[in-house]
Amino acid sequence: MNEAAYEIYYDYLKNNVIDPFYNKRIKALSLLKLTEVLKRKNPYLFKAKNIELSSDHADFQKSLT
């Protein structure tokens, strides 16, 4: 394929795949409220994992990756 065909392909991906994907996520993040996030968390799970501080939770998440 030539350079022009790739350019058309990349423009299509940008306009119809990538931009809508990230715009949807950015919109969801802008509407997110801390109280809603905290309602979904299970405090008993934190206790079972011996997580008492937010830094403990971050360290635990880091160890999973």
Side-chain angles (χ1 to χ4, degrees):
M1 285 171 79
N2 61 12
E3 184 93 15
Y6 279 118
E7 199 64 37
I8 293 168
Y9 174 70
Y10 291 140
D11 287 341
Y12 175 82
L13 279 178
K14 179 185 178 293
N15 294 327
N16 297 312
V17 179
I18 296 171
D19 283 347
F21 177 83
Y22 285 109
N23 287 338
K24 182 178 177 182
R25 272 132 191 91
I26 290 170
K27 182 180 177 185
L29 284 173
S30 67
L31 298 174
L32 191 63
K33 303 287 184 219
L34 179 61
T35 53
E36 294 172 8
V37 173
L38 293 176
K39 286 179 186 177
R40 291 185 265 163
K41 298 299 175 188
N42 183 352
Y44 298 108
L45 183 61
F46 290 133
K47 188 66 174 173
K49 292 180 180 178
N50 196 23
I51 296 174
E52 296 179 5
L53 303 172
S54 60
S55 60
D56 295 339
H57 181 62
D59 292 339
F60 179 76
Q61 292 296 330
K62 188 186 253 186
S63 69
L64 293 177
T65 58

